[in-house]
Amino acid sequence: MRAGSFGQLTQDKENTTQVTFHYVEGNTETFTIPIPASEFQEEVLQLLNQPWLTFHLVDQTVFICTARLIKVEIKPAIPELQGQGIFSNSMRVSTMQRAAAGRLPMNT
């Protein structure tokens, strides 16, 4: 790594958004796009209403059929999204946490 490259990586990370698509068939694909999450959040809901999304990569172009998606993950988080059907301050519960909760005695 050349001198000063860590700063460039940090800056690049701040100016990119990682999007993971989960398809109905069980496959996943992740793309990094050169847009800060703050800008991406302004368009994300409109983008998901489009029938197709297009990603131009260095060696190919990929079309995503939004009708075949069951989940989309975006990193970093975009908590600025507000409105109906959007739940702030949510937490993911792992399988181990669910299993442990089922084994703990309940106080009545």
Side-chain angles (χ1 to χ4, degrees):
M1 191 179 283
R2 41 177 234 262
S5 60
F6 177 75
Q8 183 65 34
L9 287 173
T10 303
Q11 181 181 9
D12 289 345
K13 188 174 183 179
E14 292 173 1
N15 293 318
T16 61
T17 302
Q18 181 179 315
V19 182
T20 302
F21 297 105
H22 297 263
Y23 300 96
V24 174
E25 299 82 13
N27 301 332
T28 62
E29 278 188 296
T30 302
F31 297 91
T32 299
I33 54 175
I35 301 172
S38 59
E39 289 180 28
F40 185 71
Q41 66 100 23
E42 295 173 11
E43 299 182 37
V44 68
L45 297 178
Q46 295 167 347
L47 291 173
L48 293 174
N49 284 325
Q50 299 296 317
W52 291 90
L53 302 176
T54 306
F55 291 85
H56 293 295
L57 310 178
V58 173
D59 60 340
Q60 63 181 316
T61 297
V62 178
F63 296 95
I64 307 290
C65 177
T66 57
R68 304 299 297 165
L69 299 174
I70 57 171
K71 181 168 76 169
V72 178
E73 295 179 4
I74 301 168
K75 290 182 183 179
I78 44 178
E80 296 82 10
L81 285 176
Q82 301 287 319
Q84 187 174 0
I86 299 175
F87 303 94
S88 299
N89 300 318
S90 300
M91 293 177 56
R92 187 177 306 226
V93 178
S94 71
T95 304
M96 291 189 68
Q97 289 169 318
R98 282 194 305 266
R103 294 180 188 181
L104 296 176
M106 300 292 287
N107 293 335
T108 56

